[in-house]
């Protein structure tokens, strides 16, 4: 992509209780995910999850958002009680920030790609706002030739 500005892709960081590099709690993203964004021509940039974020300010200069995978969404975020011990890594701050970012992205027409937890968060936000019934993805008419490269995650 010599001479061409790479689209800046915001990727919300994920909290980790510890990392082998820092030996302390960290904010991370999957290396492979970042490499795939780069290989597709984007500039992946990790954002710190911060409560009460002003997304208009924080996303200024970004061309899209990628919501990555991660831990489980707290069932309380969508009005349910946890019903299994298999729910892992729930973090109230992560849920709050993820949900607010997805809401901002939808309300402002910012391109969004979701992976695993990111898809779950998007589903929760859309369901809570009744947006799910109004989503028209036109998948049958999607022209894949518009995509410079396809990513396999």
């Amino acid at each position: 992509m010599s001479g061409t500005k790479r689209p800046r892709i915001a990727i919300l960081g994920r909290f980790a209780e510890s990392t082998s590099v820092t030996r302390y709690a960290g904010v991370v993203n999957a290396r492979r995910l970042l490499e795939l964004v780069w290989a597709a021509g984007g500039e992946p940039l990790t954002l710190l999850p911060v409560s009460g974020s002003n997304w208009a300010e924080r996303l200024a200069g970004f061309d899209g958002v990628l919501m990555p995978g991660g831990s489980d969404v707290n069932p309380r975020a969508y009005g349910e009680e946890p019903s299994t011990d298999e729910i892992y890594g729930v973090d109230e701050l992560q849920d709050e920030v993820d949900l607010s970012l997805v809401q901002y992205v939808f309300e402002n027409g910012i391109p969004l790609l979701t992976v695993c937890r990111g898809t779950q968060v998007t589903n929760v936000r859309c369901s809570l706002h009744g947006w799910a019934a109004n989503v028209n993805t036109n998948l049958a008419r999607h022209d894949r030739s518009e995509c410079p490269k396809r990513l396999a995650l």
Side-chain angles (χ1 to χ4, degrees):
M1 291 203 60
S2 177
T4 304
K5 179 183 169 228
R6 289 177 172 267
R8 294 167 45 106
I9 307 301
I11 306 174
L12 200 56
R14 296 291 176 229
F15 294 124
E17 291 182 21
S18 67
T19 68
S20 60
V21 175
T22 64
R23 293 177 287 159
Y24 300 101
V27 176
V28 299
N29 263 311
R31 177 179 177 173
R32 183 70 179 135
L33 186 63
L34 301 175
E35 290 172 341
L36 286 167
V37 170
W38 180 264
E43 177 69 53
L45 297 160
T46 298
L47 298 182
L48 177 67
V50 177
S51 181
S53 286
N54 177 338
W55 292 118
E57 201 174 272
R58 293 193 70 193
L59 293 177
F62 282 94
D63 301 289
V65 172
L66 192 160
M67 291 297 292
S71 61
D72 288 329
V73 178
N74 188 338
R76 291 184 179 102
Y78 48 89
E80 299 291 328
E81 288 297 318
S83 60
T84 178
D85 292 335
E86 295 179 18
I87 295 172
Y88 75 97
V90 169
D91 187 290
E92 300 293 329
L93 177 58
Q94 188 82 67
D95 287 352
E96 172 198 333
V97 176
D98 283 6
L99 290 164
S100 72
L101 177 55
V102 167
Q103 181 170 341
Y104 180 83
V105 163
F106 270 94
E107 290 174 348
N108 291 276
I110 297 169
L112 173 68
L113 174 65
T114 65
V115 177
C116 197
R117 174 193 161 86
T119 303
Q120 294 171 31
V121 168
T122 302
N123 180 48
V124 169
R125 179 49 70 200
C126 289
S127 297
L128 290 175
H129 285 280
W131 294 342
N134 298 321
V135 173
N136 181 0
T137 58
N138 294 317
L139 291 176
R141 293 180 279 167
H142 178 68
D143 181 3
R144 292 185 182 197
S145 66
E146 296 174 10
C147 301
K149 292 185 180 182
R150 291 180 63 193
L151 298 180
L153 301 178

